[in-house]
Amino acid sequence: MARDTGWSTAAEIAEGVSSGALSAASVIDAALARIEALNPKLNAFTAVRADRARARARAIDAAGDRRQMPLAGVPFAVKNLFDIDGVVTVAGSKINRSHPPAARDAPLIARLEAAGAVLVGALNMGEYAYDFTGENVHEGPSRNPHDLNRMSGGSSGGSGSAVGGGLVPLALGSDTNGSIRVPSSFCGIFGLKPTYGRLTRAGTFPFVASLDHLGPFARSARDLALSYDAMQGPDAADPACTDRAPEPVTPLLGRGQDGLRVAVAGGYFRKGAFPEALEAVAGVARALNASDEIDIPEAARARAAAYVITATEGAALHLDRLRSQARDFDPAVRDRLIAGAMVPAALVAKAQIFRRWYRTQVLPLFDRYDAILAPATPCTAPEIGQQTFVLDGVEMPVRPNVGIYTQPISFVGLPVAAVPVPLTPLPVAVQVIAAPWREDVALRIAHALEQMGVAAAPRPALAA
Amino acid sequence: MAASPDPLDAFIVAAAAALGLPLEDSWKPAVKTNLQVTLAHAAVVEEFRLPDDAEPAPVFRA
């Protein structure tokens, strides 16, 4: 009998397919039907691989070892900077459309499929990932499932839109300065930015090698853990990827918050936030009995240094394309990259020196606390095209301020679970920040908050 | 008396030429704004004094 899996978690689908209560084929057909019906509204997908997905689903249904597949039959999609066999890796650009199709899947796709998941397509993103809005001048904006006139958040906007809109229960994205955590916040879903170097970036189009991370989006903390566990492991093809053996988190989720000390980031992380972002942090802190407020030293300067490294490494990556195809860029991206190419190298070296010093200041905080809470974004999703917002009577530009709370954290590679708080009318997420290599801490707390009913991915009307 | 020219305007033109980057007149205001913002961030980093032996974050290992 067909069962509505439109808002099912990956764990529920995998359990159904493993036990035989559901067929992977029916799950994938239903996902493809949702994409066909809702993508015209959300503009989350840029490519759908229906034949491949159906073939993969049939193979899973025929397999005798489905119980060994923790993601059996789970549909997922990836930001279109991931290589997909036979698909051009456009990375949100017009320029890359002339590239040959990828010859193989990115390793993270292969690892998810080895765990039984089924890739259904590629997702919209801001051009070359230099974006916090989810807008794309070539494809049109991916849209927020809770209000189609609002931003999905960038740069993994299609990932946020597809998971928050119920098209798929699981998606992958990248996060250089906040591009997993910002769409998670605006679209009201869970996102995991793992420790820098934890998940291999091989087979994806880069942005800023010093800061690029990959990670999953889902509608539950357990689904983040299941997918994250399936993707861990060394890979010589990514020079930044750790040699650490996989450290599975899923078996630890049930430990909840027990014994974990949690503090709230004050100072910089309280300035410039709208009341709803602070309300979300306060609610999470109350639930976790986190009454201590701590200062993350020099966070504003860390954000400034991240900005410099991003502008200059991004410019280095695209220098040849700027010379030969400048008119084919999104003009806003082009002008930022040209400016980045002009920044003196001495200033970039200063930023990298500051980065190491900042790390020595941040890591000791985790001697006293296992996790730190901070807003993911200063506001709920702005309207598409909105240029400014007014905070405390001061008009501020939207784009550069969306990532103010995410940048100082990814700058030193700390793992973060973005945890959605279902405020009305729009959700907003809180960052649960842990020490390097302690994704287990961030995900245990995310799971505990979900069990307490404090965190949840709200179902939008269009997905019902 | 006319305001003296902003040296950043000349820098942008010279840097574009030195790097072989195209720079149409209509792009210059946005490039300048972006460069000003990035330089302002860089100044915030630079004014923070660290010892001469402070190492940068990426360490090459042979």
Side-chain angles (χ1 to χ4, degrees):
Chain A
M1 194 182 86
R3 189 173 100 191
D4 177 15
T5 51
W7 200 250
S8 298
T9 64
E12 289 164 349
I13 291 170
E15 172 56 30
V17 171
S18 293
S19 68
L22 280 172
S23 72
S26 69
V27 172
I28 296 306
D29 280 343
L32 293 169
R34 284 195 304 278
I35 294 165
E36 191 172 338
L38 296 177
N39 196 56
K41 293 180 182 173
L42 293 170
N43 201 28
F45 277 78
T46 55
V48 176
R49 306 304 278 172
D51 291 347
R52 167 185 165 145
R54 289 195 172 102
R56 174 78 188 136
R58 283 194 300 273
I60 290 169
D61 286 330
D65 59 348
R66 290 194 301 273
R67 279 281 172 200
Q68 308 304 315
M69 298 179 181
L71 294 169
V74 173
F76 75 103
V78 296
K79 188 174 185 175
N80 69 26
L81 53 66
F82 282 76
D83 285 350
I84 298 173
D85 184 13
V87 176
V88 175
T89 309
V90 292
S93 73
K94 175 184 173 188
I95 291 170
N96 284 28
R97 290 176 185 174
S98 64
H99 289 189
R104 64 188 66 80
D105 293 337
L108 294 191
I109 295 176
R111 290 176 183 184
L112 286 180
E113 290 211 319
V118 180
L119 180 75
V120 296
L123 298 163
N124 203 352
M125 60 177 281
E127 187 179 71
Y128 289 131
Y130 207 168
D131 168 59
F132 278 134
T133 67
E135 296 176 22
N136 183 294
V137 74
H138 313 294
E139 302 280 359
S142 55
R143 294 179 181 275
N144 191 304
H146 298 281
D147 180 341
L148 296 174
N149 294 316
R150 292 184 183 272
M151 294 177 184
S152 56
S155 63
S156 311
S159 307
S161 184
V163 173
L167 304 191
V168 284
L170 179 66
L172 300 183
S174 66
D175 186 316
T176 302
N177 284 298
S179 288
I180 288 175
R181 293 160 288 164
V182 168
S184 296
S185 186
F186 287 176
C187 294
I189 57 176
F190 292 81
L192 175 68
K193 185 207 75 62
T195 309
Y196 179 78
R198 173 70 89 170
L199 297 182
T200 174
R201 303 169 302 179
T204 62
F205 197 84
F207 175 24
V208 178
S210 289
L211 302 173
D212 288 343
H213 308 66
L214 304 177
F217 297 81
R219 295 190 296 264
S220 80
R222 178 173 296 281
D223 287 0
L224 289 184
L226 284 168
S227 57
Y228 165 70
D229 285 350
M231 292 189 288
Q232 291 185 56
D235 183 3
D238 175 0
C241 188
T242 183
D243 291 331
R244 297 167 79 100
E247 298 170 287
V249 168
T250 307
L252 308 177
L253 288 181
R255 294 185 185 177
Q257 190 202 342
D258 191 28
L260 298 179
R261 302 154 299 169
V262 183
V264 179
Y268 174 87
F269 293 91
R270 289 204 176 279
K271 291 180 195 146
F274 277 64
E276 48 269 32
L278 297 176
E279 179 190 338
V281 173
V284 166
R286 262 195 314 276
L288 297 172
N289 289 318
S291 52
D292 290 2
E293 185 167 310
I294 60 163
D295 183 45
I296 298 180
E298 298 294 342
R301 225 180 291 278
R303 188 230 168 189
Y307 196 102
V308 172
I309 291 169
T310 300
T312 53
E313 280 194 29
L317 176 70
H318 292 291
L319 203 54
D320 279 343
R321 280 176 284 272
L322 289 168
R323 288 184 180 123
S324 59
Q325 294 175 270
R327 284 171 198 78
D328 292 331
F329 280 84
D330 173 344
V333 174
R334 177 199 63 210
D335 296 341
R336 292 165 90 180
L337 291 172
I338 289 176
M342 296 175 176
V343 175
L347 299 178
V348 186
K350 285 276 191 189
Q352 287 285 11
I353 290 168
F354 177 79
R355 188 184 185 198
R356 178 171 292 278
W357 176 86
Y358 177 65
R359 177 179 179 274
T360 67
Q361 305 302 300
V362 172
L363 294 190
L365 299 175
F366 293 103
D367 294 340
R368 285 183 288 140
Y369 299 99
D370 299 290
I372 301 169
L373 306 176
T377 51
C379 55
T380 56
E383 291 182 1
I384 290 171
Q386 185 175 332
Q387 299 296 315
T388 60
F389 48 53
V390 176
L391 183 59
D392 293 338
V394 181
E395 191 168 30
M396 314 253 288
V398 169
R399 286 172 181 246
N401 287 295
V402 169
I404 53 174
Y405 302 133
T406 51
Q407 285 181 279
I409 308 303
S410 37
F411 185 52
V412 279
L414 305 177
V416 183
V419 175
V421 177
L423 302 180
T424 304
L426 292 167
V428 71
V430 172
Q431 295 185 88
V432 179
I433 304 159
W437 315 111
R438 296 307 307 267
E439 287 86 350
D440 60 316
V441 168
L443 288 172
R444 277 172 57 188
I445 291 173
H447 180 67
L449 289 165
E450 204 179 353
Q451 299 295 304
M452 288 186 265
V454 175
R459 187 173 191 173
L462 66 80
Chain B
M1 201 177 90
S4 57
D6 184 344
L8 197 58
D9 290 320
F11 175 81
I12 287 169
V13 171
L19 291 165
L21 289 171
L23 184 67
E24 296 184 8
D25 283 345
S26 62
W27 304 354
K28 287 178 183 172
V31 169
K32 183 178 180 180
T33 300
N34 280 300
L35 185 55
Q36 285 172 321
V37 170
T38 309
L39 292 175
H41 282 304
V44 168
V45 177
E46 197 192 351
E47 73 187 13
F48 191 72
R49 296 295 165 201
L50 288 171
D52 286 341
D53 61 356
E55 289 274 341
V59 176
F60 178 77
R61 297 186 198 285

